């Protein structure tokens, strides 16, 4: 049952809105999913990677008793 919950959550995180705006529900997770596809993983394998990342995030939040803080992508100045 827990696997099913994480599967549904992962699918929601990588969804893209229909219509003309094509807005992503969670741009960071969608980019992670697309990166896994680009690495040669199948859609199912990439979705499992997203599920695993969600498990790690939720476990860390519970362990450290913290709220969710979305990671911000590094700017060129920070990366260099």
């Amino acid at each position: 049952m827990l696997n099913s919950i994480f599967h549904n959550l992962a699918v929601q995180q990588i969804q893209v809105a229909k219509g003309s705006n094509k807005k992503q529900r969670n741009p960071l997770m969608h980019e992670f999913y697309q990166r896994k596809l680009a690495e040669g993983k199948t859609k199912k394998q990439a979705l499992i990677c997203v599920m695993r990342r969600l498990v790690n995030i939720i476990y860390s939040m519970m362990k450290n008793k913290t709220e969710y803080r979305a990671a911000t992508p590094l700017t060129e100045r920070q990366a260099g």
Side-chain angles (χ1 to χ4, degrees):
M1 186 171 200
L2 193 56
N3 186 53
S4 175
I5 291 169
F6 276 104
H7 179 271
N8 289 335
L9 182 60
V11 168
Q12 290 177 9
Q13 295 300 304
I14 62 171
Q15 280 182 338
V16 176
K18 294 179 181 172
S20 61
N21 62 358
K22 301 281 185 190
K23 186 176 180 185
Q24 299 152 352
R25 187 169 281 191
N26 184 336
L28 293 175
M29 281 295 175
H30 187 267
E31 187 273 328
F32 177 73
Y33 175 76
Q34 292 298 326
R35 190 167 9 121
K36 292 299 175 182
L37 290 176
E39 289 175 6
K41 297 198 181 294
T42 65
K43 289 183 179 183
K44 185 175 181 178
Q45 290 171 329
L47 187 63
I48 291 170
C49 291
V50 171
M51 290 170 60
R52 180 66 184 177
R53 178 164 275 193
L54 290 170
V55 167
N56 289 340
I57 290 170
I58 292 170
Y59 175 74
S60 177
M61 289 169 51
M62 292 172 63
K63 179 180 172 187
N64 299 317
K65 297 181 174 129
T66 58
E67 63 183 33
Y68 177 70
R69 291 183 302 265
T72 56
L74 292 175
T75 61
E76 289 182 33
R77 175 178 260 172
Q78 291 171 329

